[in-house]
Amino acid sequence: MANIEKSLIDLRTKTNFNNIETYVREHAQRVDSRLWIASPYIGEEWLFYSLFQISKIKKHKPNFKLLTDINNISYRNYNVLKFFIENNNAELRTLEHLHSKIYIMDNYPVIASANLTYYGFYVNFESAVAGDNLDIERYEQLYNEHWNMGKTVDEDLLKIALENSTYQDIEAYNPNVKPIRKLPKELTEKCNYEQFLREFNKLSEKYLSYGRIWESTSLKFEIDSFLNYLFHHSESHSSQEYYYINEINPMASDLLLKQCINEFQEWVVLETTWDNETIRETYKNNALSIFAEENSNNVTIEDIAAFLSNNINTYLTNAARFNWSQKFIEKNNSQNVYNFIMKLKNSTPKDIDKLVKKSEVAYMGESTLQELLGLIREDLPIRNENTNAGLRYLGYNV
């Protein structure tokens, strides 16, 4: 018993960190061999990426493991679970009635009362102990005992679990709930739309100086493809770290921009099945058709739901998995949606922020509305979190 007690370290008194969140973030950022997590409840995607700094460490290709209970799945944590299925060096297992919370970062293990949720790491009073990294085998054994009882989850099983789920994620981030620990910078306010537009136009001017690859499509659409490439596909110039960090890349320069553009233009020639000059033009034509003035009395709410699901490049592309279309149709009617989109379409950039933050349409968030704006207005680009991340990576203050 004495040996066991010696291997447990009180985070409050035996380290320089005063809470579990700080301790985990400090060690997670150095992970290069493994990140093993056991938690029955999983929170939102921003928490997962922020806490473990996934964008920073995944380039090392560590071994990712997540043991959870997929009976607790919701649309908020679906993408976190999916991460452990889609990555070659990752695995997801489910264990019904799991109650343990274990976090192993290389050879730094933490046993905690905190679930991997916003409340667990920022709101609740929780307890945690960290193991001596010289005694890591004991914690590996504990984790593996749980892991070996779990069932491997593939994408089909995950879809079924989501379709059958009745779980309500009551521990989602809520700005009205006061945290007892400091939230990361990632939740700071975004810049207003006017500033975003100025920064996007600055990038457009510089991008144009390096030449075009798609002369038949709008420059703003080519740049949207470029920024999507930096987020989704570039290994040497990934912008993912800036998805949740509202800061500017200190390494940004004209040379970095040139390198990124050259890399993108070489890549996109080989990847025309993923992205090409017609995709966004098709989305634009579909948008203009749905929201044409002569269609105001003819388009049904089902038509609008189908358009958003198939044409707007946000989480709505996974809409069927979240029963999004059904909820959208139940909570809205076509005339109200049409009227609000027209109000947004005819607004000035100064008014866009106010409108999208207080959307009159249920289940249409800021990214969805700003992407739609980029399709139905020639003077405005597509804006979403990927756009913001790319701009920050390249040195633009959004």
Side-chain angles (χ1 to χ4, degrees):
M1 187 66 181
N3 289 336
I4 294 177
E5 290 178 348
K6 185 178 179 181
S7 71
L8 299 180
I9 302 173
D10 186 332
L11 294 185
R12 295 172 303 167
T13 61
K14 300 295 185 181
T15 75
N16 294 323
F17 309 105
N18 60 10
N19 62 63
I20 180 179
E21 181 267 346
T22 305
Y23 185 87
V24 168
R25 280 171 67 89
E26 176 66 22
H27 290 292
Q29 70 177 338
R30 300 188 179 95
V31 163
D32 62 15
S33 62
R34 66 174 164 189
L35 176 62
W36 293 0
I37 301 169
S39 176
Y41 295 93
I42 304 297
E44 297 171 274
E45 191 176 11
W46 74 263
L47 176 66
F48 171 64
Y49 271 83
S50 167
L51 191 63
F52 299 107
Q53 293 158 87
I54 299 300
S55 299
K56 182 182 296 185
I57 68 173
K58 74 175 187 179
K59 63 186 177 184
H60 301 301
K61 295 182 169 54
N63 177 223
F64 290 107
K65 287 184 179 181
L66 174 61
L67 180 65
T68 188
D69 184 349
I70 61 171
N71 290 315
N72 304 321
I73 191 174
S74 74
Y75 79 92
R76 290 183 182 275
N77 59 32
Y78 176 82
N79 283 335
V80 178
L81 275 59
K82 191 178 171 189
F83 171 92
F84 288 84
I85 294 175
E86 292 184 334
N87 286 276
N88 293 331
N89 51 321
E91 188 175 356
L92 173 66
R93 291 191 182 184
T94 182
L95 179 60
E96 194 169 5
H97 304 306
L98 175 70
H99 198 261
S100 293
K101 296 89 178 175
I102 306 170
Y103 307 94
I104 298 179
M105 300 154 289
D106 286 347
N107 287 339
Y108 288 92
V110 173
I111 311 297
S113 63
N115 282 294
L116 181 52
T117 62
Y118 166 66
Y119 274 61
F121 275 84
Y122 294 106
V123 176
N124 297 338
F125 290 98
E126 305 279 1
S127 300
V129 289
D132 186 334
N133 63 5
L134 297 177
D135 198 26
I136 184 62
E137 292 182 3
R138 180 172 299 168
Y139 297 90
E140 289 178 336
Q141 180 180 352
L142 175 62
Y143 187 91
N144 284 326
E145 285 175 359
H146 289 72
W147 180 258
N148 292 334
M149 290 187 288
K151 176 181 179 181
T152 298
V153 179
D154 59 19
E155 191 159 359
D156 290 337
L157 183 58
L158 195 63
K159 288 179 186 177
I160 293 170
L162 185 62
E163 290 168 0
N164 296 330
S165 177
T166 57
Y167 170 63
Q168 298 294 317
D169 185 2
I170 61 173
E171 294 198 345
Y173 165 66
N174 183 345
N176 298 317
V177 175
K178 185 177 180 180
I180 63 172
R181 290 176 284 273
K182 186 179 179 181
L183 285 170
K185 297 175 182 177
E186 289 80 346
L187 291 179
T188 54
E189 186 69 21
K190 302 183 187 74
C191 74
N192 62 44
Y193 196 89
E194 287 183 298
Q195 182 177 342
F196 161 77
L197 193 56
R198 286 194 296 269
E199 297 296 279
F200 188 92
N201 288 337
K202 288 178 187 176
L203 172 61
S204 300
E205 291 176 7
K206 285 197 172 182
Y207 184 96
L208 193 57
S209 69
Y210 292 105
R212 297 284 308 276
I213 54 171
W214 295 334
E215 296 291 346
S216 61
T217 193
S218 299
L219 174 61
K220 67 176 185 178
F221 288 161
E222 183 171 325
I223 292 175
D224 182 63
S225 178
F226 167 55
L227 296 176
N228 270 330
Y229 165 75
L230 293 182
F231 188 84
H232 290 291
H233 299 281
S234 177
E235 293 185 3
S236 54
H237 296 293
S238 173
S239 65
Q240 287 190 10
E241 186 175 345
Y242 293 86
Y243 187 91
Y244 296 109
I245 300 177
N246 193 9
E247 296 178 348
I248 300 173
N249 180 8
M251 304 300 290
S253 65
D254 285 346
L255 177 60
L256 175 67
L257 176 61
K258 182 178 180 180
Q259 290 172 343
C260 290
I261 292 173
N262 288 341
E263 184 182 288
F264 162 67
Q265 293 183 345
E266 291 175 2
W267 176 86
V268 80
V269 171
L270 304 174
E271 295 290 339
T272 52
T273 55
W274 176 83
D275 204 346
N276 59 59
E277 64 227 88
T278 66
I279 290 175
R280 290 163 186 78
E281 293 291 344
T282 300
Y283 290 166
K284 180 186 77 171
N285 293 333
N286 292 343
L288 293 175
S289 175
I290 284 286
F291 294 106
E293 187 173 346
E294 60 270 21
N295 278 349
S296 61
N297 296 317
N298 300 323
V299 174
T300 66
I301 192 65
E302 288 81 8
D303 293 333
I304 297 174
F307 162 78
L308 292 172
S309 297
N310 296 322
N311 295 267
I312 300 295
N313 190 24
T314 66
Y315 71 88
L316 299 184
T317 54
N318 292 323
R321 298 171 183 170
F322 308 131
N323 296 320
W324 176 87
S325 292
Q326 180 181 343
K327 294 174 183 177
F328 179 84
I329 292 168
E330 289 174 355
K331 295 292 184 179
N332 298 293
N333 67 69
S334 59
Q335 197 59 55
N336 287 347
V337 174
Y338 181 87
N339 290 343
F340 179 72
I341 298 303
M342 289 303 102
K343 183 194 298 185
L344 190 61
K345 180 181 179 181
N346 296 321
S347 65
T348 65
K350 183 178 180 180
D351 295 327
I352 287 173
D353 278 316
K354 193 181 301 180
L355 288 170
V356 299
K357 287 178 180 177
K358 297 184 178 179
S359 173
E360 298 173 14
V361 181
Y363 294 100
M364 283 189 76
E366 292 182 43
S367 286
T368 306
L369 291 168
Q370 290 179 114
E371 286 197 38
L372 180 57
L373 268 176
L375 298 178
I376 62 179
R377 280 184 56 164
E378 290 293 336
D379 60 325
L380 299 179
I382 291 173
R383 185 189 189 187
N384 53 38
E385 294 290 2
N386 297 355
T387 315
N388 292 335
L391 286 167
R392 290 171 189 154
Y393 178 75
L394 295 169
Y396 295 90
N397 185 20
V398 300

